Amino acid sequence: MLLAQCVDRTGTGMWAAVSVLYFTFVSRLDARQLGLLLGVAAVAGIAGSPLAGRAAERLPVRGLLIGCHLLRLGMMGLLLVVNGFTSLLFVVALICLGERAAKTLEMLFATRVAGERRATYQALFRSVANAGYALGAGIAALGLAVGTISAYRALILANALSFALAAALVRRTREPAGHGLVVARGDTGAADQPPTAPSPWRDRGYLFFVLLDIPMNLDDSVLNVGLPLWLVHHTRAPHAVVPGFLVVNTVLVVILQLRVSAWAEGPRRAAGAVGWYGVTLLACCLILASATGGGVWSATFAMLAAAILVTFAELVRSVSSWELAVSLAPPRARASYLGVAGMSQSVQKSVGPLLLTGGVMTAGPAGWLALGTVVTGLSMVQRRASLVRLSNLAAAPAGPRQAVGTVGGQAGPS
């Protein structure tokens, strides 16, 4: 399964590096069309997670994951032949929907395979995924150096082939036990009449966790959007530093992910780690706010320090977010709950860049200070709410039609 994920991420890394340039120079989209295309695609991606989680309650995860890879394979192939904006909009939306659905299914697959050692599995996956992204970006750099339309299309074809190979590798992986409805330990029921699973959409406590998890994913936008734009427009650091952000991020994730995962392993440690996420992101924001007044060297060191801190925040979040998404969900309906939890990353990818460019950076250094303060405060709220919900779930396990909710620290059935 890890090999399949590595192959998938290699292709995705290629596509991420060339997609905007492809739509600009090959598809000839203007800035307005490109913005609309990416916005609609992001919205489609939001729907992918809950749809995948709901389907996984009834169908084998392996078959669904293969289907997602094949969907992306077909849509990538269509990119080579479609030209009109409307057709591109449809194709790219399905690509994003399939990508988010696939990530949710991979998360569920790994949860069932790894069991209580899911934090270690997540660490291994993160290391493998980053290696895949780096490899894909390197391959894309070779294609971009050529710069011809044929080179762009060759990269798209390579991405499509990565999905075919990933599907073949998943097919050779044994389906984990418990596909379809996941029954909690100790639950009983007739095989032909499974108990009714709780719905995450009626579980206010879990929805509160998912809502708070959106700002807990802002490190992604800070790294990929905030740092480069802030360096270019507000500091004297050379533009050549920008690629260094991804180098620092990739190297640190590969080296430290297993150690951070061991430190934050288990639901209560994961809840405690959420608070450290806020503190670390606040430190990153403080450095960014102070990077505007220095010279070339001081600005360069400040921006690289910010990249290190936001990477530490990412390391903590990647463990705590997944562990809590699993631990706070009733085992009976874990698939649909994880599908809803997966929306937080998709929503952040849609609104995070707009928040940074339209709000935080417009306000200057004060904007970064405000962002860091707010995220830190929300991280403490999520930490407290998660600990209360964990206690309630341990003390009073939910029945087949009831899930324990936590809103603002208060417990009650949803």
Side-chain angles (χ1 to χ4, degrees):
M1 188 63 187
L2 285 173
L3 180 57
Q5 290 170 319
C6 182
V7 171
D8 179 2
R9 297 309 187 269
T10 300
T12 302
M14 283 189 285
W15 175 240
V18 305
S19 57
V20 171
L21 296 177
Y22 177 84
F23 291 130
T24 301
F25 297 114
V26 179
S27 300
R28 302 295 181 183
L29 301 184
D30 58 33
R32 181 186 63 82
Q33 290 175 319
L34 181 58
L36 179 60
L37 181 78
L38 297 179
V40 171
V43 172
I46 294 174
S49 294
L51 288 175
R54 186 65 174 171
E57 293 285 359
R58 294 166 170 77
L59 299 171
V61 175
R62 185 178 64 173
L64 290 171
L65 183 53
I66 292 173
C68 287
H69 288 323
L70 294 180
L71 171 65
R72 298 157 76 193
L73 167 64
M75 293 302 104
M76 276 292 167
L78 282 179
L79 276 183
L80 297 173
V81 297
V82 299
N83 294 311
F85 174 72
T86 302
S87 299
L88 286 172
L89 196 66
F90 174 77
V91 170
V92 175
L94 285 181
I95 290 173
C96 287
L97 186 145
E99 178 182 352
R100 292 307 311 172
K103 287 185 176 180
T104 297
L105 293 169
E106 288 171 347
M107 180 179 177
L108 179 58
F109 201 105
T111 299
R112 291 174 177 172
V113 169
E116 296 303 317
R117 295 186 60 82
R118 53 183 170 264
T120 301
Y121 186 97
Q122 168 72 344
L124 290 171
F125 164 67
R126 291 276 303 160
S127 298
V128 167
N130 273 269
Y133 276 125
L135 177 60
I139 296 173
L142 296 176
L144 292 175
V146 176
T148 64
I149 292 179
S150 295
Y152 279 108
R153 289 176 175 166
L155 291 172
I156 289 181
L157 181 60
N159 186 23
L161 292 177
S162 76
F163 298 143
L165 180 55
L169 291 170
V170 172
R171 188 174 183 274
R172 297 183 61 182
T173 304
R174 188 174 64 179
E175 172 80 6
H179 66 77
L181 187 65
V182 181
V183 181
R185 182 182 299 176
D187 286 341
T188 59
D192 58 343
Q193 292 182 344
T196 303
S199 169
W201 298 106
R202 293 195 295 268
D203 189 335
R204 293 170 296 173
Y206 199 82
L207 291 177
F208 186 58
F209 161 75
V210 174
L211 179 64
L212 289 175
D213 211 42
I214 296 173
M216 298 303 111
N217 280 272
L218 276 172
D219 58 273
D220 176 74
S221 292
V222 172
L223 175 67
N224 295 302
V225 178
L227 265 63
L229 291 181
W230 191 254
L231 181 146
V232 170
H233 297 294
H234 296 275
T235 77
R236 298 180 62 187
H239 295 183
V241 174
V242 171
F245 298 152
L246 294 180
V247 173
V248 167
N249 178 263
T250 301
V251 171
L252 289 179
V253 168
V254 171
I255 293 175
L256 298 177
Q257 186 68 76
L258 276 170
R259 296 181 182 180
V260 174
S261 297
W263 167 70
E265 189 171 11
R268 294 196 170 273
R269 286 186 177 182
V274 174
W276 285 107
Y277 174 89
V279 172
T280 305
L281 196 65
L282 174 60
C284 171
C285 292
L286 288 172
I287 290 178
L288 289 173
S290 63
T292 57
V296 172
W297 285 106
S298 62
T300 298
F301 285 125
M303 295 304 298
L304 289 175
I308 292 173
L309 286 169
V310 79
T311 299
F312 277 113
E314 176 190 343
L315 288 167
V316 172
R317 183 262 304 165
S318 65
V319 177
S320 62
S321 181
W322 189 23
E323 178 66 33
L324 291 175
V326 174
S327 301
L328 299 180
R332 183 185 305 281
R334 187 164 282 165
S336 58
Y337 271 68
L338 291 181
V340 173
M343 294 176 60
S344 59
Q345 293 184 23
S346 301
V347 172
Q348 188 282 140
K349 286 182 178 295
S350 299
V351 303
L354 295 176
L355 172 65
L356 292 181
T357 57
V360 173
M361 286 187 279
T362 302
W368 286 112
L369 296 177
L371 177 69
T373 302
V374 170
V375 171
T376 301
L378 292 177
S379 72
M380 298 303 174
V381 173
Q382 189 186 54
R383 174 184 176 276
R384 172 61 180 168
S386 297
L387 289 172
V388 171
R389 182 176 171 94
L390 286 170
S391 297
N392 290 334
L393 286 171
R401 298 180 180 272
Q402 186 180 41
V404 178
T406 309
V407 181
Q410 299 298 318
S414 300

